[in-house]
Amino acid sequence: MSPAILSSAIMALALILFISDRIRPDAVALIVLLLAWVTGLVSFEEALAGFAAPAVIIVAAVLVVGRAVELTGAARVMTSWFVPRTRFVSIRIGGVLLMGALLSAFMNNIAALAITMPVAVTVAREHKLPDGAVLMALAFATILGGITTLVGTPANLIISSVREDRLGEGFGMFDMTPAAAAVALAGVLYLAIIGWRITPRRAGAGDAAPDQRLFVFELNPPMAAFQGALLLSDARRALRSAGASLLAVIRDGVRTRLETDARIHHDDRILVMSRTPPWEVAPRARLFSDLASHDSRTQLAHVSVMFGSPLIGEPYAAVEARSGDEVAFVAAGPRAARLREALDTNRIESGDQLYLRGSPEALARLVRSARLLEIDRETGPVRPGRHAMLTVGIYALAVLAATLFAVPTTAAFLTAAVAICLLRLIPADEAYRAIDLPVIVLLAALIPVGREFNQAGGSDAIAQAFAAALSGMPLSVTLFALGLATMILTIFLNNVATAIVMGQVGIAVATTLGIPVDAALITVLIGCSCDFLTPIGHQNNLLVMRPGNYRFTDYARVGAPLCLIAIGGAALILSRIYG
């Protein structure tokens, strides 16, 4: 079998496995890398070379530096400063979206969303809007911001590595910025003026609608003097009158099945689901809660656990331990309701929703250090000090060194990450936790496979089909078609995998049709980030789905016009720049 057919078959298998979503993307990448080595398409040294690729090192370094900036709280303060005080809601929403896009140009998109989300929710509520009116727009804005710089998203670095393989030099830090920033600005303007207005709003979204919240907590039966006096049916009736539901009775640490007329013992625990917190439900149902009534010195925060949080795998009590007993765990979210097990046996997972109570300062510290995404709470005061200024300064120096002084981007950001760790601006465990290993493995494994796919002629074959359909067309039409194909592929694939395939195809199409290579690559770069049609297209879309009370089809309603703006705008702008 010829190398072209073999490499195309392996790439087709990878695409099928990615689309099926039955195997983790990083595992798929390792499988196809092993197949490429076993079949002799790449040597063992070539297979491992991806782990030393500049793109992989830059991604790891930027994740560490971005995490350090996130921990200082400086970015959150800048976000609050960036939102103008005006009665015009579109201007205020536009300020939040613009800051989200700006942050995501220099740090992880998820971190940018986490930083700006509380400010966006505050703006929405000040104008008596549900949270769902702004959260989808914010998620889209943070995705758009990632296209504007080399380090904005891993897919950009993949496109740059493809360019380096073929042309001998990758993209500079801001080579894509003129076109990409114009596209991002157009997208943010659409979201600020139109997008948030056409976002579906349903009952249950936002703080003004309490039924968005779902507390799962445990209550105690009456005191020992009343042992055996409480029937299960009476407990259900009392909870129902208090606006709550009885999920299970926990006896000796495990869920117990009881008949309706069974009696609840004094040392049993009652697992309860409610739209109101335990200190309100308990007195109404004549039961007891371990938590005292809410007071003015503390705030109740509704948070979601992000990927990489140190709380993952820990019991709920780890919240209090990590905060030095300054933050209390109040209740769990929907997953605990589905499990119906004793809360002290559950382990925290990525995406879990938690309700926490503490002072604004303690909550702010915990949210930053434990990688939590705030869904519902007033932003606590954050006063960044010397560490914040030093961290931001190191990041800025890395950007300046790579842009103005011809320092290799890899060296600039690796030096910044090492300096931040040596100066103890980020704890060592946080630095390692900041590195998204599945993304690193995905990048490192796919780079050699994509390179071989091109060398064997697979990308040329696809380019010939493009050339046959687009020969003689204006540059803007060609670029629009290339961007549209990339966007369609990224609906089904991880955007890193899309960048591997379409980066090679973009260069082949440019070479075949005689159009500027950079115009084709920047078009592909923008198309790779057009994940606006489904909640599963990008992690940010998924993170806002439940807080915004969105349905699967809601994303296309707001995202389809945004895709046309991004792809059409890129085609027009790039054709003017390179035409």
Side-chain angles (χ1 to χ4, degrees):
M1 187 180 294
S2 70
I5 296 176
L6 191 57
S7 66
S8 297
I10 290 176
M11 189 61 75
L13 174 63
L15 297 181
I16 292 170
L17 292 177
F18 278 127
I19 293 171
S20 70
D21 203 28
R22 293 181 178 273
I23 304 175
R24 288 168 47 125
D26 50 328
V28 171
L30 289 174
I31 289 170
V32 298
L33 178 63
L34 288 172
L35 283 175
W37 171 58
V38 169
T39 55
L41 286 175
V42 298
S43 66
F44 187 69
E45 291 75 15
E46 290 172 332
L48 295 179
F51 288 89
V56 175
I57 296 172
I58 294 172
V59 168
V62 169
L63 287 173
V64 172
V65 178
R67 177 63 174 149
V69 172
E70 180 188 351
L71 283 172
T72 65
R76 176 164 294 176
V77 171
M78 288 188 292
T79 300
S80 62
W81 289 345
F82 210 78
V83 180
R85 301 299 302 182
T86 174
R87 63 187 180 86
F88 297 106
V89 62
S90 286
I91 294 177
R92 301 195 71 202
I93 290 174
V96 179
L97 301 186
L98 196 58
M99 194 60 194
L102 184 62
L103 289 176
S104 66
F106 298 98
M107 64 195 306
N108 183 284
N109 293 354
I110 299 173
L113 175 66
I115 289 167
T116 52
M117 188 170 171
V119 181
V121 168
T122 299
V123 168
R125 292 175 185 171
E126 286 178 356
H127 291 271
K128 295 181 171 49
L129 294 170
D131 297 354
V134 297
L135 292 185
M136 185 184 295
L138 181 62
F140 289 170
T142 54
I143 297 171
L144 276 173
I147 67 177
T148 58
T149 67
L150 178 64
V151 299
T153 178
N156 296 5
L157 289 161
I158 287 294
I159 300 295
S160 179
S161 70
V162 171
R163 187 183 191 274
E164 186 174 11
D165 282 343
R166 299 292 292 274
L167 305 181
E169 185 179 0
F171 280 125
M173 183 72 178
F174 298 108
D175 284 353
M176 68 290 297
T177 303
V183 169
L185 183 59
V188 168
L189 285 174
Y190 155 75
L191 292 170
I193 298 171
I194 300 173
W196 73 269
R197 297 179 189 276
I198 63 174
T199 303
R201 305 174 196 182
R202 299 186 181 87
D207 191 51
D211 57 345
Q212 179 203 15
R213 305 187 297 179
L214 185 67
F215 297 87
V216 178
F217 50 89
E218 292 177 357
L219 295 178
N220 296 330
M223 296 181 298
F226 298 96
Q227 179 176 354
L230 181 65
L231 295 176
L232 178 64
S233 57
D234 292 337
R236 278 206 176 97
R237 191 178 303 110
L239 286 168
R240 197 178 302 118
S241 66
S245 301
L246 189 151
L247 294 176
V249 174
I250 309 299
R251 180 170 293 172
D252 298 325
V254 297
R255 182 174 60 184
T256 302
R257 294 185 179 276
L258 299 176
E259 299 295 332
T260 304
D261 57 352
R263 297 184 181 276
I264 298 177
H265 298 170
H266 76 283
D267 54 353
D268 290 342
R269 305 280 290 177
I270 301 174
L271 188 66
V272 175
M273 176 176 68
S274 175
R275 300 292 183 184
T276 52
W279 51 81
E280 294 182 17
V281 173
R284 295 176 192 169
R286 297 183 180 180
L287 298 172
F288 297 94
S289 171
D290 293 335
L291 290 165
S293 298
H294 198 42
D295 61 62
S296 59
R297 294 170 298 176
T298 60
Q299 292 181 345
L300 180 66
H302 181 192
V303 303
S304 177
V305 180
M306 293 199 296
F307 174 84
S309 169
L311 296 176
I312 293 174
E314 298 291 329
Y316 296 129
V319 169
E320 300 181 14
R322 186 169 182 84
S323 67
D325 292 326
E326 291 185 329
V327 175
F329 168 77
V330 171
R335 190 174 71 86
R338 293 192 296 271
L339 292 176
R340 299 194 177 206
E341 301 290 346
L343 292 184
D344 58 5
T345 65
N346 292 350
R347 290 295 180 267
I348 297 172
E349 293 184 2
S350 177
D352 276 358
Q353 295 185 45
L354 309 176
Y355 293 88
L356 312 176
R357 189 173 72 177
S359 69
E361 295 83 1
L363 284 168
R365 285 194 297 270
L366 181 65
V367 164
R368 294 196 304 275
S369 66
R371 301 209 76 169
L372 303 175
L373 178 68
E374 285 190 32
I375 297 171
D376 177 10
R377 181 178 73 90
E378 295 178 5
T379 306
V382 180
R383 300 178 179 86
R386 184 177 62 86
H387 282 192
M389 302 307 173
L390 192 54
T391 303
V392 173
I394 290 172
Y395 201 158
L397 284 175
V399 172
L400 291 174
T403 307
L404 301 180
F405 300 101
V407 176
T409 307
T410 308
F413 283 99
L414 184 59
T415 302
V418 171
I420 282 173
C421 292
L422 290 179
L423 292 172
R424 298 184 179 180
L425 299 175
I426 182 174
D429 58 338
E430 288 291 345
Y432 283 110
R433 194 177 292 114
I435 299 173
D436 193 343
L437 285 179
V439 171
I440 298 297
V441 171
L442 182 68
L443 286 169
L446 284 182
I447 285 174
V449 176
R451 187 179 294 133
E452 177 56 34
F453 174 68
N454 172 68
Q455 292 174 352
S459 58
D460 289 333
I462 298 174
Q464 292 297 329
F466 264 94
L470 299 172
S471 180
M473 292 290 183
L475 178 59
S476 58
V477 175
T478 302
L479 294 178
F480 181 83
L482 183 61
L484 186 63
T486 305
M487 184 201 75
I488 291 172
L489 190 60
T490 203
I491 293 173
F492 303 102
L493 297 184
N494 180 286
N495 63 353
V496 171
T498 302
I500 289 285
V501 175
M502 292 305 296
Q504 304 285 3
V505 170
I507 289 185
V509 168
T511 303
T512 304
L513 293 177
I515 65 176
V517 170
D518 283 355
L521 285 179
I522 294 174
T523 299
V524 170
L525 180 150
I526 292 171
C528 284
S529 290
C530 286
D531 293 322
F532 308 125
L533 298 179
T534 70
I536 59 175
H538 193 282
Q539 220 171 345
N540 282 15
N541 294 351
L542 202 57
L543 282 172
V544 300
M545 187 175 185
R546 185 177 293 277
N549 200 21
Y550 303 129
R551 295 174 184 164
F552 193 96
T553 54
D554 292 341
Y555 288 81
R557 177 175 174 177
V558 181
L562 184 57
C563 286
L564 291 177
I565 290 170
I567 300 300
L572 291 174
I573 294 167
L574 290 168
S575 64
R576 296 293 294 271
I577 294 174
Y578 293 96

